[in-house]
Amino acid sequence: MNAPARTLELGRVGESVKRVDAIPKVTGEFAYSSDLFAAGMLWGHTVRSPHAHALIEEVDISEAVGMAGVHAVLTHTDVPGAKAYGLEFADQPVLAIERVRYFGEPVAIVAAEHPEQARRAAERIRVAYEPLEPVVDPERATEQEPIHDGRPTAGHGFRDDPRPNVVRSIVIRHGDPDAQGEVTVSGVYELGIQDQAFLGPESGLAVPDGEGGVDVYVATQWLHVDRDQVAPCLGLDPEQVRIHLSGVGGAFGGREDLSMQIHASMLALHTNRPVKMVYNREESFVGHIHRHPAKIWMEHRAKRDGKLVNVRARILLDGGAYASSSAAVTANASAFACGPYAVENALVECACVYTNNPPCGAMRGFGAVQSCFAHEAQMDKLGAELGMDPVELRLRNALAPGDSLPTGQKITGSFPAAEVIRRAAALPIPEPEELPRDALRLPGGSGNTTRGEGVRRGVGFAVGFKNVCYSEGFDDSTAARVRLAASDDGIAAVVHCAAAEVGQGVVNVILQTARTELDLDEVVLGSATTSSVGSAGSASASRMTWMAAGAVQLACRAAKDELERRGGDLEHGETIDVERVYHHRPTTPLDRETGQVTGDGAHVAYICAAMRVVAEVDVELGLTRVVWIGTAQDVGKAVNPQAVYGQIEGGIAQGLGLALMEEIQTQDGLITNASFTDYLIPTTLDMPPVEAQLVEEPEPDAPYGVKGVGEPPTVVSTAAVASALRDATGRQLTRVPVRPDEIVGLP
Amino acid sequence: MELLRPESAEAASAALGNGSVALAGGTELVPLLRDGIVRAEKLVELRDVVPRGFDGTRIGAGTTLAELEVDPQIPQALREACSLAASPQLRSMSTLGGNLLQATRCWYWRLNFPCYLHGGDVCHAKAGQHREHAIFGSDRCASAHPSDPAAALLALGARLHTTARELPLSELYRLPTDDNRDVTALEPGELILELDVPQPEASVYLKAMERRKWSFALVGVAAARFADGVRLALAGVAPVPWALSSPDALEQATPLPGTAYKVDIARALIRRAVEAVGAPRSA
């Protein structure tokens, strides 16, 4: 069941190397977690709440337990250990107890010989609910009955906010929040709920080890923190739960939280059989957290020359039923609310609330996407008000090393905001194409809706940034282990690192780093697992390249030192085996009242990108075509340039999806479009060609000067596409996704 | 569940009802079964009994959309409508007859809300979210009919041959009423066997979608020019495919607050479709 050890064609840091998983993925040979199989395995199924908010009066499993092929039917009373878990706050029941708080919340689990038997048994579990009025309007949530007893997120060093249903609220006061400018623009901006929409639904296999422990093979983002949540709920020691990474079909933050890990483990330990669980597409939509929908008010005060004087923002995030990583998303949305601009005065108020809407948590861009959409709309508006070129306005305010963020943190290290703006703005945009054209090169695409009638062209620009690595004192490290042994050709190396390959290319990063450091071609990467190496931290926050390269570099250098100490060679059968843990420089919390930094600062480093978008809009039909995107991105150092370009294009596609079509629709907390038929994601026809420029300004503290690349394209592209649509239509377009009904009917 | 494979259309008709449901391409039925919207004890396989293929203006109802979208004998509007329905994988399975009977994407209906179409008293979409819903015929139910080929065939003036009768396509559809919530007028056991599709002088199907391919019509407009004038029909605007007697008839639309924009889209698309097919030669 272990994935085979992985090798790749030779390559050192800085060289474009074909992804080791590329060919297997495009030829259909890659083994995803949904392909797992074990002899004698059972299939698990989850019984989920059909209500967004209800009391559970009774769960009657009597009919289900006796059905053919059924081996186990479990409810919250069968959870062996802690009854609740969570990434930051253990507020989420393993299986619902007395109350369900969101549509699709797990209530019971079944294991049977065949998945269809499990499904039918699940249908026979009678759950008596007493529906409660769901809390679905985040603006009213702070005045309604609390949906959690007590305050799960209180007492964690956060600002005290006594209102009901507050997950976290932050106030950042910087300079003089009352400072006046000569020009003021304001607006209210909204973003719908975006789903990660990874193609590989949640799936995995739990195998009992016969000694009370369990091995879990699963598609996840952070193996060790999965283990640290699973083990207590099973009442086991951490060593008794071993998490092994299986083939991941995309993650984008949506696999940071647990899905089927505890459930499959409970069923496996209960039946003493391997248990496999695979969510279907509809279940995947309700079975993981989403991007926070947001409502944002912003006011920008500036001088006539365009220099920002004061930015005031109020941000409301809907966290849904459980906390997940909402507290950190709140911090990010606040810290980056003003964009990559130097602002001496700011007042940012941000709150995330509990509701009975779908739970929200980590998704690529993590709070910065929402803020970027708002601050860039504001910058466009300010430019229009001042009659100033949008690029010039942004350059005039670009944040640079030595400047401070609104949190008071001084920018150190690499921060080439002005450079990415200049480079993106310098990219030549394509000339308008002649008519007639193929329908596929017009708004409306294959629908053949125009031959040019109603089509207007627009050019948009946006800049955005966010942090790399975790923040506010949450300093997760990365471990790597290197084993050297004699081989026929000299020395061979095996590297172990629990970094999750989620499609971003970290396997290549690890191998390229090891080859560079050891100056060896013969390097093999072992499976990512909790049983052979320490925590790698999460494959998120654009941190994995930096942290994995740092850890592998340390371990390789230690192994090399040891090899030299032993005279530079190994006898047959002699090995060197070292593990090292890499830490980035420490961070410290924000002051809970003022939102100002304490100690070293809340963030490690930053990554920024600028983007220029050409779009065409058929203003009579409200249909769009994104024609071209040019971007310049601050990457520190590209370890594998080809993979970096891939991340930029993929990240843009995801942000374009939010700009144009992606939105989870809800009605009273129920998800109404949980399918790829009704939740639209971009196709290749929706994606324009992308011209990307890499700005390589090394980060002084990081191995080889690397930063991260996964998130900035997503942060910026939503804002940049919306900007181009605004330019084409003359409309404000204050909400994404921008739908045809917000464009049609233009005079 | 049992699969029946009758050897004649008559036998298939006789086998339907009482928990037996017709299966053709399965692209519509299987998801409805999986979602518990349709329940079946037996599936009656139609593949061997419903004609497939075409000859002149006669089209077998068992012909797949993929077969129709490429053949130059088929009027352009129908070819385009077929090629714009769903994805290639689905079109290679789905039949024309099945597509005409496609159910709405209204999510209240799909989520089994006790809505008017399901036999309840109210249309939840009217008071709820209805951006994708109707601008015509929405007195009782505001759902939107999703079929692209149905709009094309309606504009083309297609006639149906069923196991029981011959009728114009327009008479296949009916708005749901208090005593009958069906949107088709098929009798129990009645199967669509063939279609007669007149050859127009010119025809076209234009489809406004929220994605550049592979999504349902916000508004689809079919226009077919015959010697006596241009016929128009719309997809995605009413609980059934909707024929318009003239472009001006659009102004009789009764949109919901959230669907008013569809009238604007339809107006522009109708203008473009009429322009595309040109004026009748005899005019």
Side-chain angles (χ1 to χ4, degrees):
Chain A
M1 280 164 293
N2 282 307
R6 295 163 289 192
T7 58
L8 83 168
E9 59 187 74
L10 308 183
R12 303 292 200 265
V13 167
E15 296 173 19
S16 277
V17 183
K18 186 162 67 195
R19 285 264 302 272
V20 67
D21 50 348
I23 298 293
K25 279 179 175 167
V26 297
T27 54
E29 291 169 43
F30 185 85
Y32 289 98
S33 54
S34 51
D35 299 319
L36 289 160
F37 181 86
M41 73 182 184
L42 302 173
W43 292 79
H45 191 93
T46 312
V47 177
R48 296 177 179 276
S49 166
H51 301 284
H53 198 194
L55 295 177
I56 299 174
E57 291 171 333
E58 192 192 358
V59 182
D60 178 1
I61 63 169
S62 55
E63 208 179 326
V65 285
M67 289 175 66
V70 172
H71 287 252
V73 181
L74 307 179
T75 67
H76 72 87
T77 58
D78 302 299
V79 177
K83 300 285 185 184
Y85 69 96
L87 264 181
E88 296 179 41
F89 314 97
D91 64 350
Q92 181 149 7
V94 175
L95 293 165
I97 307 168
E98 292 172 7
R99 188 171 180 174
V100 287
R101 296 182 178 84
Y102 73 97
F103 173 65
E105 179 160 1
V107 176
I109 45 177
V110 179
E113 298 279 347
H114 189 278
E116 185 60 19
Q117 289 173 321
R119 193 189 64 76
R120 289 182 190 187
E123 277 182 0
R124 299 294 182 84
I125 295 172
R126 311 280 175 216
V127 186
Y129 295 100
E130 185 192 327
L132 300 172
E133 193 196 334
V135 175
V136 292
D137 180 354
E139 293 187 77
R140 288 182 53 220
T142 52
E143 294 150 15
Q144 291 176 283
E145 285 287 304
I147 67 168
H148 288 276
D149 298 332
R151 306 179 69 85
T153 59
H156 285 82
F158 300 156
R159 181 171 175 270
D160 186 40
D161 189 330
R163 295 175 298 170
N165 292 320
V166 173
V167 179
R168 184 178 185 185
S169 78
I170 291 178
V171 176
I172 295 174
R173 280 175 221 282
H174 182 62
D176 171 14
D178 293 320
Q180 299 294 323
E182 294 163 347
V183 178
T184 300
V185 293
S186 66
V188 177
Y189 305 94
E190 270 186 78
L191 301 95
I193 313 176
Q194 188 179 22
D195 190 73
Q196 292 82 357
F198 39 67
L199 295 187
E202 289 79 355
S203 49
L205 178 69
V207 184
D209 67 6
E211 296 168 5
V214 64
D215 288 88
V216 184
Y217 300 82
V218 63
T220 186
Q221 285 181 247
W222 187 356
L223 288 81
H224 286 75
V225 92
D226 276 12
R227 179 197 65 187
D228 294 345
Q229 293 173 90
V230 173
C233 294
L234 298 176
L236 297 176
D237 295 330
E239 316 72 72
Q240 292 177 281
V241 176
R242 290 159 302 270
I243 308 279
H244 312 279
L245 186 68
S246 186
V248 182
F252 314 114
R255 296 189 209 269
E256 271 200 1
D257 294 78
L258 296 179
S259 57
M260 43 58 65
Q261 287 91 327
I262 302 174
H263 297 158
S265 299
M266 282 171 61
L267 292 168
L269 291 169
H270 191 87
T271 59
N272 204 28
R273 298 263 292 266
V275 174
K276 175 172 175 172
M277 293 183 89
V278 181
Y279 291 0
N280 67 23
R281 179 56 57 194
E282 289 74 9
E283 191 175 17
S284 178
F285 270 101
V286 301
H288 63 248
I289 51 79
H290 316 280
R291 186 190 299 291
H292 291 76
K295 190 161 189 183
I296 302 173
W297 171 86
M298 274 192 188
E299 183 181 270
H300 281 57
R301 301 176 183 174
K303 293 200 171 145
R304 291 234 165 264
D305 65 4
K307 192 82 192 83
L308 290 172
V309 175
N310 188 357
V311 174
R312 297 158 68 90
R314 275 200 300 273
I315 303 168
L316 179 61
L317 304 170
D318 184 348
Y322 294 103
S324 180
S325 49
S326 282
V329 172
T330 310
N332 260 27
S334 318
F336 309 124
C338 300
Y341 306 116
V343 191
E344 285 181 7
N345 312 291
L347 175 61
V348 179
E349 298 168 308
C350 180
C352 180
V353 294
Y354 282 121
T355 67
N356 296 113
N357 288 322
C360 291
M363 184 174 171
R364 197 178 200 171
F366 204 80
V369 168
Q370 293 90 328
S371 290
C372 185
F373 172 62
H375 66 63
E376 287 307 275
Q378 283 285 101
M379 292 302 276
D380 277 355
K381 209 170 192 176
L382 182 59
E385 182 72 22
L386 293 166
M388 185 178 285
D389 176 70
V391 172
E392 178 55 34
L393 175 66
R394 286 166 170 91
L395 271 178
R396 187 158 297 181
N397 289 288
L399 199 60
D403 292 336
S404 292
L405 293 172
T407 56
Q409 180 160 358
K410 190 162 268 199
I411 301 280
T412 57
S414 144
F415 198 95
E419 181 64 10
V420 298
I421 293 171
R422 274 192 289 267
R423 293 269 292 273
L427 289 170
I429 62 173
E431 290 293 317
E433 293 160 59
E434 306 257 323
L435 292 167
R437 300 178 217 158
D438 189 291
L440 296 182
R441 304 190 71 82
L442 283 161
S446 64
N448 195 26
T449 50
T450 181
R451 289 170 300 173
E453 306 97 318
V455 176
R456 294 188 200 165
R457 179 175 154 113
V459 180
F461 196 86
V463 194
F465 80 129
K466 82 173 286 292
N467 55 322
V468 197
C469 302
Y470 282 17
S471 51
E472 290 188 276
F474 190 106
D475 294 334
D476 62 335
S477 54
T478 296
R481 204 176 122 204
V482 172
R483 189 171 175 277
L484 301 181
S487 79
D488 294 344
D489 304 325
I491 304 274
V494 178
V495 179
H496 293 273
C497 181
E501 172 62 70
V502 295
Q504 83 281 45
V506 74
V507 164
N508 285 47
V509 168
I510 291 168
L511 288 173
Q512 287 175 257
T513 302
R515 290 205 166 94
T516 302
E517 291 299 325
L518 299 171
D519 195 22
L520 267 186
D521 293 340
E522 190 85 355
V523 179
V524 169
L525 177 60
S527 302
T529 164
T530 59
S531 61
S532 64
V533 64
S535 176
S538 182
S540 48
S542 299
R543 65 182 283 285
M544 208 66 261
T545 293
W546 177 334
M547 299 298 290
V552 172
Q553 187 182 57
L554 280 182
C556 287
R557 288 180 181 178
K560 232 170 131 182
D561 288 348
E562 177 62 19
L563 183 64
E564 267 172 39
R565 206 181 57 75
R566 296 191 198 175
D569 211 351
L570 295 177
E571 299 285 326
H572 189 71
E574 188 186 358
T575 60
I576 291 171
D577 195 338
V578 294
E579 181 166 343
R580 290 291 180 274
V581 178
Y582 177 81
H583 295 267
H584 57 67
R585 68 186 174 85
T587 62
T588 50
L590 295 174
D591 181 273
R592 70 175 74 179
E593 295 307 324
T594 63
Q596 296 298 294
V597 285
T598 62
D600 295 320
H603 298 115
V604 179
Y606 313 91
I607 35 184
C608 55
M611 205 168 284
R612 205 169 184 207
V613 175
V614 177
E616 290 178 336
V617 182
D618 181 336
V619 295
E620 293 184 335
L621 304 181
L623 306 184
T624 58
R625 172 195 177 208
V626 179
V627 175
W628 173 89
I629 293 182
T631 183
Q633 186 167 320
D634 154 36
V635 300
K637 160 79 180 170
V639 174
N640 182 357
Q642 187 185 54
V644 170
Y645 288 115
Q647 280 290 295
I648 290 173
E649 291 189 15
I652 287 173
Q654 208 151 22
L656 177 146
L658 175 59
L660 296 179
M661 64 188 82
E662 293 191 40
E663 182 174 7
I664 286 189
Q665 313 266 3
T666 62
Q667 174 75 48
D668 299 329
L670 275 53
I671 297 182
T672 57
N673 60 341
S675 73
F676 279 161
T677 306
D678 296 312
Y679 180 92
L680 301 183
I681 56 176
T683 68
T684 48
L685 263 189
D686 298 278
M687 257 304 274
V690 172
E691 185 162 346
Q693 300 255 319
L694 308 185
V695 175
E696 294 191 281
E697 195 178 281
E699 177 66 27
D701 283 344
Y704 316 114
V706 299
K707 288 187 169 183
V709 295
E711 292 176 292
T714 307
V715 171
V716 182
S717 57
T718 303
V721 169
S723 171
L725 300 183
R726 264 180 225 121
D727 188 49
T729 62
R731 293 219 161 178
Q732 300 274 342
L733 304 181
T734 55
R735 187 183 195 282
V736 284
V738 177
R739 291 294 191 24
D741 51 322
E742 296 181 58
I743 298 173
V744 291
L746 280 181
Chain B
M1 198 182 290
E2 202 180 329
L3 181 70
L4 304 180
R5 306 195 67 174
E7 290 177 0
S8 69
E10 293 70 30
S13 285
L16 288 170
N18 287 330
S20 297
V21 175
L23 170 73
T27 56
E28 170 78 357
L29 179 63
V30 172
L32 292 175
L33 286 171
R34 197 191 52 199
D35 293 346
I37 298 169
V38 171
R39 294 189 184 274
E41 284 156 31
K42 294 177 185 172
L43 298 182
V44 181
E45 160 82 88
L46 301 184
R47 216 171 301 192
D48 298 332
V49 302
V50 171
R52 176 171 179 176
F54 37 86
D55 181 15
T57 58
R58 175 74 55 110
I59 300 176
T63 314
T64 65
L65 303 190
E67 288 161 344
L68 291 167
E69 72 188 65
V70 291
D71 198 288
Q73 291 180 60
I74 303 299
Q76 183 179 334
L78 182 56
R79 265 189 283 138
E80 290 175 339
C82 289
S83 75
L84 283 169
S87 60
Q89 291 90 337
L90 292 171
R91 296 202 297 275
S92 67
M93 288 299 290
S94 58
T95 65
L96 185 59
N99 186 274
L100 295 178
L101 305 178
Q102 213 177 342
T104 180
R105 293 305 305 176
C106 173
W107 48 51
Y108 298 100
W109 186 81
R110 297 250 161 199
L111 288 173
N112 263 323
F113 275 60
C115 71
Y116 188 81
L117 212 49
H118 277 310
D121 297 328
V122 295
C123 170
H124 295 79
K126 286 192 184 181
Q129 295 174 26
H130 55 249
R131 214 168 42 89
E132 282 82 2
H133 287 69
I135 59 173
F136 283 108
S138 58
D139 289 355
R140 296 181 173 86
C141 162
S143 68
H145 198 276
S147 170
D148 302 303
L153 289 166
L154 205 52
L156 291 164
R159 294 185 69 80
L160 304 184
H161 300 268
T162 75
T163 44
R165 55 185 160 152
E166 190 194 325
L167 72 166
L169 177 63
S170 55
E171 289 177 20
L172 172 67
Y173 298 108
R174 61 185 298 281
L175 291 171
T177 51
D178 288 350
D179 55 351
N180 181 354
R181 307 302 165 96
D182 280 350
V183 295
T184 75
L186 287 182
E187 298 294 329
E190 187 177 6
L191 297 171
I192 303 173
L193 297 176
E194 293 183 296
L195 295 88
D196 278 323
V197 183
Q199 271 292 347
E201 293 172 0
S203 69
V204 72
Y205 182 70
L206 311 181
K207 180 179 180 183
M209 298 176 278
E210 284 195 277
R211 180 164 70 184
R212 294 168 63 74
K213 206 173 182 68
W214 300 346
S215 49
F216 287 100
L218 291 172
V219 178
V221 172
R225 188 188 85 206
F226 291 90
D228 59 348
V230 173
R231 288 194 212 129
L232 293 167
L234 276 57
V237 300
V240 296
W242 200 257
L244 279 189
S245 55
S246 74
D248 291 342
L250 179 69
E251 305 313 321
Q252 310 304 314
T254 52
L256 305 170
T259 60
Y261 76 101
K262 282 194 174 189
V263 179
D264 293 323
I265 292 179
R267 191 178 296 116
L269 269 189
I270 288 169
R271 195 175 61 237
R272 294 175 191 184
V274 167
E275 202 170 293
V277 295
R281 277 185 206 133
S282 58

